[in-house]
Amino acid sequence: MALFGNAHTIDPGKAQNEYARLLGHGEQVHAAYLLIRDTMLFTDRRLIMVDKQGITGKKVEYHSVPYRSITHFAVETAGHFDLDAELKIWISSNQVPLQKTFTKGVDIYEVQAILTQFVAR
């Protein structure tokens, strides 16, 4: 399923080590998802989107979204025919949400719980 652009869970400890240079002192990765070559990291401080660009993936954009910038979010669970769940995140001053699709194997309720925990601070 990942070949179609859908995210799947990766080990937060592995993501912590792999992206250590991006993290602030004491910042911890709580959840991580892989989308082909791109990665979403949910830390205790922010959401980090790692976008590998080009054919080789050597050029990388790191997009950091502090949780306080998230105005609201929505999840759509998988159905019988649509096996994927979707996450939409609205960031202040941007009317178009960030959208990500997760395979049925990802617990979208866990993703929602992580966002609720950090956005509600």
Side-chain angles (χ1 to χ4, degrees):
M1 284 281 220
L3 293 176
F4 296 110
N6 297 339
H8 63 276
T9 304
I10 58 175
D11 178 67
K14 180 180 175 186
Q16 180 85 28
N17 290 334
E18 185 174 342
Y19 295 101
R21 295 181 355 176
L22 292 178
L23 303 174
H25 181 71
E27 186 173 13
Q28 296 292 310
V29 175
H30 285 266
Y33 299 92
L34 183 65
L35 176 59
I36 302 180
R37 298 183 308 171
D38 300 341
T39 305
M40 287 177 56
L41 305 172
F42 290 90
T43 78
D44 55 347
R45 300 178 188 171
R46 59 196 165 132
L47 170 62
I48 302 171
M49 309 291 290
V50 181
D51 180 14
K52 294 187 178 179
Q53 301 173 353
I55 295 172
T56 64
K58 287 186 179 187
K59 182 176 180 180
V60 181
E61 178 181 59
Y62 301 98
H63 188 108
S64 179
V65 180
Y67 292 119
R68 68 181 178 276
S69 298
I70 297 174
T71 59
H72 63 287
F73 59 90
V75 295
E76 181 179 306
T77 61
H80 289 293
F81 299 107
D82 180 9
L83 301 178
D84 301 323
E86 294 182 7
L87 169 66
K88 295 178 185 175
I89 300 174
W90 284 265
I91 300 169
S92 58
S93 75
N94 193 350
Q95 293 184 3
V96 179
L98 293 173
Q99 293 183 298
K100 294 294 175 187
T101 302
F102 295 81
T103 59
K104 194 171 184 178
V106 171
D107 184 356
I108 196 68
Y109 295 105
E110 177 183 293
V111 174
Q112 179 173 313
I114 291 167
L115 279 170
T116 299
Q117 176 184 355
F118 294 121
V119 172
R121 287 184 176 184

